[in-house]
Amino acid sequence: MSGDHHNTDDSGPAARVKALEAILTEKGLIDPAAIDAIVDLYETRVGPRNGARVVAKAWTDPAYRKRLLADATKAVAEIGFAGPEGGHLVAVENTDRVHNLVVCTLCSCYPWPVLGLPPVWYKSFAYRSRAVSDPRGVLADFGLELPREVEVRVWDSSAEIRYLVIPQRPKGTERMSEDALAEIVTRDSMVGVAKVEAPRA
Amino acid sequence: MNGVHDMGGMDGFGPVVPEKNEPVFHAEWERRMFGLVLPLVRATQSAFDEFRHAIERMPPAQYLASSYYERWLAAAETLLVERGVVTREELLAKEDASVDPALIAEAVPVRGPAPVKDKSQKKPPRARFAKGDRVRGRNLNPSGHTRLPRYVRGKSGVIARDWGVFDFADTKAHRAGAKPQHCYSVAFDACELWGKSANTRERVYIDLWEDYLEPIATKSKSKPQERKRATRPKRVEP
């Protein structure tokens, strides 16, 4: 599908980006080492593991869950996560009656500090176009079918708020520690296109 | 602008296809492109809104044919050339002969909003709407940047939350002032947006600045001096 493809060869965008970096470096506007540092940060440290820790804490610490729902920016900063695209975080909680799904129809806004950079499907035209008009159809693309009575709430991140879905804690995980729970929380569950599964015994 | 980027509710893009074990970047140039943008935005003192708008101003056919980081690349080139930081000629001279100069497409020119006076220093703007108020997305079609998607224009919703005061993207993207104002989470029933055949158990919550909204007059008349909140129409659970 157009918009999802990847140009990995060395012509086209690769040559243009190289030219851009060279010119801006010559002009003293950027420092290649700073680029290395940013890339490393988002490739190794800022990612969905952060969000998973937030969710696991909310599952195991009722007071934290309350703080997270009241002010997610503050609650997320408590465990050390903040940064670009995370200045105004809001957590929305899935329940037996309500399922939340996050999209950005106009571009691809995403809560970087807790989920890292968005996957290609989140940025795809298919997701951006259909998540608001056919959320159940989109969930079916991920193999998720919700009971008819469940209300689906789609959050279109059209301004400065960035959303984190708190998925439901699966049954059979009552004895798992916070750390172990963080291991089973997936990125997709925190965008709202999947449920968290209990590990198989 | 009524651009191709405003995709909410469009058909024809096919199913969503997730990639298994997806890497953060798919090519070295994507890495460099991503790493460039934050320092670049800082160096050119641009707002993210300007960057987003530069993406939206790509010629539509090119937008649709480009991947995410190709769109970032086009926007970076556009902003740098428009700011006079680099010239098209400089960019082309740095590249090898394999690059088609047409790839660096000229952005679609647009006229932005008239500059607004900054009144933010004194007191914060008061909220025109409160939770539970019924509102309609205004039928605005600005030629410049806007975060009011077509799919909510003319549609009725309910204020679910007041997020507080935020600078206005429509003016900020054009360096026409901050125009700070309240931004709300507005809930729209799927049936209001997509017609009677839509699922009654689906709802879209979208964040809209106050300038995008108009009140829906309530039938039971309240005295003019009481104006707001004397009557409370149907509420939506937040």
Side-chain angles (χ1 to χ4, degrees):
Chain A
M1 185 72 238
S2 293
D4 306 351
H5 67 275
H6 298 288
N7 207 326
T8 48
D9 66 25
D10 213 29
S11 64
R16 280 160 68 199
V17 172
K18 215 170 177 179
L20 204 58
E21 185 175 341
I23 293 173
L24 294 173
T25 306
E26 270 170 31
K27 290 182 187 283
L29 284 170
I30 55 160
D31 171 9
I35 296 180
D36 294 340
I38 291 170
V39 169
D40 180 65
L41 183 68
Y42 283 93
E43 246 181 344
T44 61
R45 276 184 288 157
V46 182
R49 296 333 313 152
N50 294 5
R53 280 186 53 199
V54 172
V55 169
K57 193 168 171 63
W59 281 351
T60 51
D61 178 347
Y64 182 76
R65 173 182 164 271
K66 226 173 157 180
R67 292 203 294 282
L68 181 65
L69 288 170
D71 185 342
T73 316
K74 235 191 215 167
V76 162
E78 257 182 57
I79 36 180
F81 307 135
E85 295 295 289
H88 306 278
L89 294 173
V90 166
V92 288
E93 188 177 43
N94 286 349
T95 66
D96 286 338
R97 293 171 50 204
V98 173
H99 184 90
N100 296 284
L101 177 69
V102 181
V103 66
C104 170
T105 60
L106 294 171
C107 43
S108 298
C109 296
Y110 197 69
W112 291 3
V114 278
L115 296 186
L117 301 180
V120 167
W121 63 257
Y122 183 86
K123 302 178 282 192
S124 72
F125 303 152
Y127 186 75
R128 286 169 52 192
S129 59
R130 228 151 59 31
V132 284
S133 56
D134 182 21
R136 276 183 162 83
V138 164
L139 294 178
D141 289 348
F142 287 86
L144 177 60
E145 204 180 313
L146 299 171
R148 200 179 312 165
E149 65 275 15
V150 169
E151 180 189 327
V152 177
R153 294 184 182 174
V154 182
W155 299 84
D156 190 350
S157 333
S158 49
E160 303 291 332
I161 312 293
R162 300 291 172 265
Y163 295 93
L164 176 73
V165 175
I166 309 175
Q168 281 186 287
R169 180 171 176 172
K171 291 196 173 67
T173 59
E174 292 74 16
R175 303 178 69 170
M176 286 173 71
S177 68
E178 186 182 321
D179 285 349
L181 286 168
E183 292 296 315
I184 63 167
V185 179
T186 62
R187 175 197 65 205
D188 289 4
S189 73
M190 293 181 280
V191 184
V193 295
K195 294 201 175 225
V196 178
E197 304 287 342
R200 291 203 193 106
Chain B
M1 62 188 287
N2 291 334
V4 73
H5 67 282
D6 185 358
M7 292 186 157
M10 283 176 76
D11 291 315
F13 290 117
V16 181
V17 186
E19 181 183 335
K20 276 224 161 74
N21 302 316
E22 185 180 331
V24 177
F25 300 103
H26 290 77
E28 179 59 20
W29 73 265
E30 289 191 354
R31 247 181 221 106
R32 302 313 288 175
M33 188 60 239
F34 171 74
L36 266 170
V37 162
L38 292 175
L40 190 72
V41 163
R42 227 170 286 142
T44 55
Q45 298 178 343
S46 307
F48 264 176
D49 310 79
E50 293 172 70
F51 187 71
R52 285 196 192 105
H53 190 45
I55 293 176
E56 294 159 8
R57 288 188 288 129
M58 289 176 75
Q62 197 193 22
Y63 181 105
L64 292 172
S66 302
S67 71
Y68 181 71
Y69 287 112
E70 284 175 319
R71 297 196 291 275
W72 279 38
L73 171 60
E77 288 168 345
T78 294
L79 277 186
L80 288 167
V81 171
E82 285 180 351
R83 296 264 176 281
V85 178
V86 301
T87 62
R88 255 179 93 82
E89 292 65 38
E90 275 180 291
L91 284 174
L92 289 169
K94 270 281 176 209
E95 287 162 4
D96 53 52
S98 67
V99 178
D100 176 0
L103 280 173
I104 306 178
E106 305 278 4
V108 176
V110 295
R111 208 176 56 237
V116 288
K117 281 207 185 97
D118 191 358
K119 294 180 243 169
S120 60
Q121 300 93 328
K122 287 283 174 272
K123 51 182 180 192
R126 63 177 276 273
R128 184 178 185 194
F129 304 111
K131 183 176 164 178
D133 284 354
R134 294 193 64 215
V135 291
R136 189 180 292 114
R138 293 173 70 190
N139 183 18
L140 303 172
N141 293 271
S143 59
H145 182 64
T146 187
R147 298 293 285 181
L148 172 69
R150 276 178 287 227
Y151 77 88
V152 297
R153 296 179 196 168
K155 302 296 165 80
S156 305
V158 178
I159 302 281
R161 274 171 86 170
D162 178 355
W163 295 127
V165 175
F166 289 83
D167 291 350
F168 191 36
D170 296 36
T171 45
K172 236 170 61 181
H174 297 276
R175 302 194 165 193
K179 211 180 181 190
Q181 56 188 276
H182 282 257
C183 183
Y184 306 88
S185 171
V186 185
F188 292 89
D189 287 336
C191 295
E192 167 70 9
L193 298 176
W194 317 111
K196 283 196 177 115
S197 62
N199 192 314
T200 55
R201 305 295 295 157
E202 292 173 2
R203 197 171 277 158
V204 176
Y205 288 72
I206 175 166
D207 299 325
L208 300 173
W209 271 275
E210 197 163 276
D211 274 11
Y212 299 155
L213 300 169
E214 59 193 9
I216 295 178
T218 48
K219 278 179 198 129
S220 47
K221 260 278 161 270
S222 57
K223 285 176 202 151
Q225 56 266 50
E226 283 178 85
R227 276 179 48 213
K228 261 178 36 81
R229 300 167 68 177
T231 51
R232 238 350 131 63
K234 167 181 125 197
R235 270 168 185 271
V236 160
E237 283 295 302

